[in-house]
Amino acid sequence: MKCYLKYGALISPLGTTIEDHAHALLSNNSGIKQVEGSGFNNENWFLGKMNELSGDYDALLEKALGSLESIWDAEILKSPRTGIFVSTTKANMRLLPGDTFESTRTLIKKELHQEVDPVIISNACISGVVAVNVAADYLKAGKFDRAIIIGIDVLSDFIIYGFQSLFALGNEVCKPFDAERKGISLGEACGIILMTNEREEGVFAEYIAGASSNDANHISGPSRTGEGLVRAVTKTLERAGMDKTEIDFVSAHGTATIYNDEMEAIAFNRLGLEQTPLNSLKGYFGHTLGAAGIIELLSCMISMEKNTLIKSLGYQQCGTTQTLAIVEENREKELTTILKTASGFGGGNASLILKKVQ
Amino acid sequence: MSELKENLKAQIIEQLNLEDLTPSDIKNEAPLFGDEGLGLDSIDALEFIVLLDVNYGIKISDPSDAREIFHSIDSLASFIESQK
Amino acid sequence: MKLIAHSYLNRKAAFLNGVKVAHADSEQPNDFLKTYYRELTIDYPKFHKMDALSKSAFISDYLLEPFYADLVDLENKLQLVFANNDSSKQTDLKYIESYEINNNPSPSLFVYTLPNILTGEISIKHKWYGENCFFIQPAFDAQFFADQAMFSFLRGNDYCLCGWVEMNGSENEECFLFLLEKSADTFEIEQLTTLLKSYRNE
């Protein structure tokens, strides 16, 4: 059983459609800006904050779901053969102390006229990549014919103060892998990927394989050796039956903290992927946590469709002990096979491989 | 100074949930971090920053400055004294 | 697939394969996890730093340890599949208190405001580098766990440590772990529901 991917929806500070995002990414526009008084002591942190709907999880989810009708007809959206998968770290925090995940279920069932609860994945920053891997499991096992994979998280004081308390935020638009990088810019977004077992109109990438791993090292600090990421990617390549030389491009996690980016540089060197073009999209969106994997995969799909490597925004000079082939300017390249990775709290790592449908 | 050190030990045990320890288990000169001493980690170091702010009104803006200060009870106490 | 072993704990007692191995001190109902830790003479100083979600999974996993010895290549071939309904809600609320009331966002509380941290704690304890996933589910669903285990085995794993772990501050707090192994045997999915029911009624 094969799994094909097509665009669903993408809403972020860069726009509300795939076209908006294609334009913004190809123009190297960042959605991150300085937000006055956003810190715990009123610091002016740099955030990928939306003008409308910022912090409003339910409204953002509803809006993203609303755009699906133009892609799949109502019969498909409500079909019991269509599975719904949601990647989110915190869902709707405004509902605390009530059930923060309940509105996700009710909204999805109402908007799509679905009867079955969605499968919700909450696995920190790797949730998005894991959600795609889980959806593929269901399709490959014949449990569903199609999947709607939603990645969503919004900004909140909770999240901003938390990353601030970890000294993980940088006082600038984030600069993944750069020598001057100072830390994360947080962001918010909702992305939807559609997966189908048929080569229907609009599909142009095939999901090949994926895997996850744990660093078994620390619950919040990145591994010094990149062990978990190395194992996740190695397993992904094994399952895909591919060699690393077949990878045309790596969409890395690249949060712009000193330790995360260093860990990734070590891992990709250990994997022999140091010559493969690589970027981090955090300079465009900021780190959107549970949405990150999904919106970055949608961006990879844009990159594949346009056969263009997108500049790793914020990068100027190598800032890791081992070098990587960071994409310094947009450039045309035939992109057949891409590797997406993510790493996060809890020591989790996940990766997957997509291949263009010829 | 010795009272300050005893207070620090009690606060550390409380703040970092080191329930199996009593203040007398923490030696003044022993390293707090790493495998040899108490085995505290990077998150504990960040909790130290909170502890210094809450209990002593001392603000540390860059955790990398704090490595030497947080070496041991002795170094922590001298630092707090120097800030008075 | 086949069931190798299971453990369970709630506010009253802890069990391994249906046998009670520790019970809580009724004088201090809020400290039941610490009581089990002491009663089982576990020695793991990092335990005290964990939140209740991680502590409960840690103890339940500790109980299963004797069954790990005979299994092969757990480091790579065991997947963790966990789920609950309330995510890390209790810790979320404590962390909010740290900045709203104590005026200092606590980094050590914040890192536990993700439910999957417990999979990290278990992986660190055993040096397991395998696959992990944490799901949010409205209630324990045996079919769901069986599906995830089946997918996991299809992906190439040989074992699945599954856990339903709810530490939400209510009377119904519980942690149910079961270890599944890939095999050709037909698996009676409903036995998981029956097991959990009987644990709850103990």
Side-chain angles (χ1 to χ4, degrees):
Chain A
M1 187 70 73
K2 298 202 168 194
C3 305
Y4 300 100
L5 302 182
K6 57 195 252 178
Y7 296 128
L10 183 46
I11 303 175
S12 83
L14 291 173
T16 57
T17 63
I18 298 292
E19 291 71 32
D20 289 348
H21 285 87
H23 179 261
L25 292 169
L26 295 172
S27 313
N28 304 131
N29 294 340
S30 175
I32 300 169
K33 54 185 185 291
Q34 196 164 19
V35 180
E36 225 172 280
S38 49
F40 183 69
N41 301 307
N42 291 314
E43 292 87 348
N44 308 319
W45 294 121
F46 286 77
L47 303 170
K49 186 177 194 277
M50 298 188 296
N51 290 325
E52 287 172 38
L53 307 180
S54 180
D56 194 340
Y57 177 92
D58 286 356
L60 178 60
L61 178 58
E62 202 172 338
K63 182 167 176 177
L65 291 170
S67 62
L68 296 181
E69 282 171 17
S70 60
I71 309 169
W72 277 347
D73 66 40
E75 288 303 312
I76 293 178
L77 296 179
K78 74 175 193 192
S79 164
R81 298 293 301 163
T82 301
I84 321 290
F85 298 83
V86 183
S87 155
T88 181
T89 62
K90 302 307 296 175
N92 187 352
M93 294 294 282
R94 291 181 182 174
L95 299 174
L96 273 175
D99 187 336
T100 49
F101 289 86
E102 185 49 36
S103 70
T104 305
R105 294 189 196 102
T106 46
L107 261 173
I108 286 172
K109 288 200 272 192
K110 188 184 104 200
E111 289 295 313
L112 304 178
H113 304 283
Q114 274 274 341
E115 284 178 12
V116 182
D117 281 330
V119 174
I120 302 177
I121 289 113
S122 183
N123 213 92
C125 308
I126 70 167
S127 301
V129 176
V130 170
V132 177
N133 288 338
V134 170
D137 283 342
Y138 277 83
L139 263 67
K140 284 177 190 278
K143 297 248 172 197
F144 294 125
D145 298 327
R146 292 185 175 82
I148 296 170
I149 313 165
I150 304 161
I152 176 167
D153 261 318
V154 294
L155 286 168
S156 61
D157 291 347
F158 185 104
I159 292 296
I160 296 169
Y161 300 168
F163 278 92
Q164 180 173 343
S165 80
L166 296 177
F167 289 86
L169 300 181
N171 191 24
E172 60 183 14
V173 177
C174 68
K175 296 175 176 169
F177 299 107
D178 187 68
E180 301 287 314
R181 70 186 184 277
K182 296 195 171 72
I184 296 172
S185 303
L186 289 167
E188 57 191 345
C190 180
I192 303 181
I193 292 173
L194 303 178
M195 188 182 265
T196 156
N197 60 13
E198 274 179 47
R199 266 183 80 157
E200 61 184 49
E201 196 191 335
V203 306
F204 60 86
E206 184 188 343
Y207 170 92
I208 304 296
S212 64
S213 71
N214 198 289
D215 285 335
N217 175 58
H218 194 271
I219 56 164
S220 60
S223 151
R224 297 289 168 115
T225 60
E227 186 63 27
L229 183 54
V230 168
R231 293 199 190 210
V233 173
T234 305
K235 215 173 256 185
T236 301
L237 285 165
E238 275 170 20
R239 289 175 183 177
M242 280 182 169
D243 184 76
K244 62 177 194 286
T245 54
E246 293 176 71
I247 305 292
D248 296 317
F249 163 63
V250 179
S251 172
H253 189 53
T255 60
T257 67
I258 297 289
Y259 295 113
N260 173 78
D261 293 4
E262 176 66 13
M263 177 280 285
E264 289 188 59
I266 291 169
F268 289 124
N269 272 272
R270 284 181 57 190
L271 287 158
L273 286 164
E274 71 277 4
Q275 307 284 351
T276 309
L278 174 149
N279 76 9
S280 159
L281 292 159
K282 301 291 191 292
Y284 295 88
F285 300 105
H287 191 355
T288 57
L289 312 176
I294 302 295
I295 67 172
E296 289 167 13
L297 276 166
L298 286 161
S299 303
C300 287
M301 287 158 70
I302 292 171
S303 216
M304 287 170 104
E305 189 190 9
K306 310 282 183 192
N307 278 318
T308 304
L309 289 169
I310 293 166
K311 175 182 173 174
S312 196
L313 206 56
Y315 178 83
Q316 283 186 314
Q317 201 192 337
C318 176
T320 49
T321 57
Q322 303 197 33
T323 56
L324 293 168
I326 310 273
V327 180
E328 296 189 48
E329 293 300 332
N330 291 359
R331 71 169 194 270
E332 276 188 36
K333 186 183 188 223
E334 178 68 33
L335 295 178
T336 307
T337 308
I338 71 123
L339 171 73
K340 171 72 200 134
T341 70
S343 302
F345 282 174
N349 301 273
S351 63
L352 61 80
I353 291 173
L354 299 185
K355 196 166 183 182
K356 189 183 285 178
V357 177
Q358 299 296 343
Chain B
M1 192 87 161
S2 70
E3 192 188 333
L4 171 61
K5 288 178 187 173
E6 289 313 304
N7 287 343
L8 269 172
K9 289 176 189 175
Q11 287 157 357
I12 289 170
I13 288 170
E14 157 90 22
Q15 187 90 10
L16 306 184
N17 297 317
L18 305 172
E19 295 191 15
D20 284 350
L21 296 182
T22 61
S24 60
D25 294 328
I26 307 177
K27 303 278 170 275
N28 289 338
E29 67 290 348
L32 294 166
F33 291 83
D35 295 335
E36 289 167 30
L38 283 188
L40 303 185
D41 71 2
S42 53
I43 298 294
D44 296 315
L46 299 177
E47 279 299 335
F48 268 25
I49 293 177
V50 175
L51 187 152
L52 286 180
D53 188 359
V54 172
N55 295 315
Y56 302 96
I58 298 171
K59 289 200 189 297
I60 290 177
S61 54
D62 185 351
S64 55
D65 294 345
R67 196 159 299 179
E68 283 173 24
I69 302 169
F70 295 166
H71 175 73
S72 62
I73 293 291
D74 280 342
S75 61
L76 256 172
S78 325
F79 174 72
I80 293 169
E81 281 294 321
S82 74
Q83 298 292 305
K84 277 187 179 167
Chain C
M1 68 180 100
K2 85 179 182 222
L3 178 63
I4 301 178
H6 47 92
S7 63
Y8 179 84
L9 65 83
N10 59 16
R11 289 183 170 195
K12 288 182 263 174
F15 303 84
L16 172 63
N17 288 337
V19 179
K20 192 183 284 186
V21 290
H23 38 347
D25 181 353
S26 52
E27 307 265 299
Q28 291 180 309
N30 294 330
D31 276 347
F32 65 102
L33 294 169
K34 203 199 289 179
T35 306
Y36 302 151
Y37 177 85
R38 299 250 155 92
E39 237 183 273
L40 297 164
T41 60
I42 304 174
D43 180 21
Y44 196 77
K46 277 194 221 161
F47 172 83
H48 302 294
K49 299 187 180 192
M50 299 177 191
D51 73 342
L53 210 56
S54 286
K55 278 180 180 165
S56 65
F58 181 89
I59 292 172
S60 309
D61 164 70
Y62 173 85
L63 292 174
L64 294 175
E65 257 188 36
F67 295 89
Y68 300 146
D70 295 335
L71 309 181
V72 183
D73 197 15
L74 292 180
E75 173 183 329
N76 292 303
K77 295 287 192 178
L78 177 132
Q79 170 161 12
L80 302 176
V81 178
F82 278 75
N84 74 5
N85 179 55
D86 282 321
S87 183
S88 53
K89 186 155 81 183
Q90 283 307 98
T91 307
D92 290 2
L93 295 172
K94 275 189 196 156
Y95 160 70
I96 289 173
E97 233 179 75
S98 79
Y99 63 83
E100 284 193 346
I101 295 169
N102 303 335
N103 215 22
N104 260 294
S106 161
S108 59
L109 284 172
F110 180 65
V111 295
Y112 283 99
T113 63
L114 291 162
N116 68 295
I117 297 296
L118 69 87
T119 63
E121 295 286 12
I122 292 176
S123 300
I124 292 167
K125 166 82 191 299
H126 299 288
K127 280 276 157 202
W128 286 341
Y129 295 91
E131 302 205 87
N132 294 177
C133 195
F134 200 104
F135 297 91
I136 305 295
Q137 292 268 300
F140 176 79
D141 179 348
Q143 181 68 49
F144 178 82
F145 278 105
D147 283 348
Q148 298 310 320
M150 179 191 73
F151 299 153
S152 179
F153 298 149
L154 286 172
R155 259 186 274 113
N157 296 306
D158 291 336
Y159 310 97
C160 240
L161 178 59
C162 301
W164 171 258
V165 49
E166 197 71 278
M167 289 288 140
N168 53 10
S170 82
E171 286 292 304
N172 304 322
E173 291 188 317
E174 62 182 355
C175 179
F176 176 41
L177 258 57
F178 48 102
L179 180 60
L180 299 171
E181 182 179 13
K182 183 179 185 171
S183 85
D185 309 355
T186 41
F187 183 70
E188 194 60 57
I189 291 169
E190 275 313 303
Q191 66 176 299
L192 297 172
T193 315
T194 313
L195 269 175
L196 180 56
K197 234 180 236 168
S198 64
Y199 275 135
R200 283 174 176 168
N201 292 334
E202 276 281 341

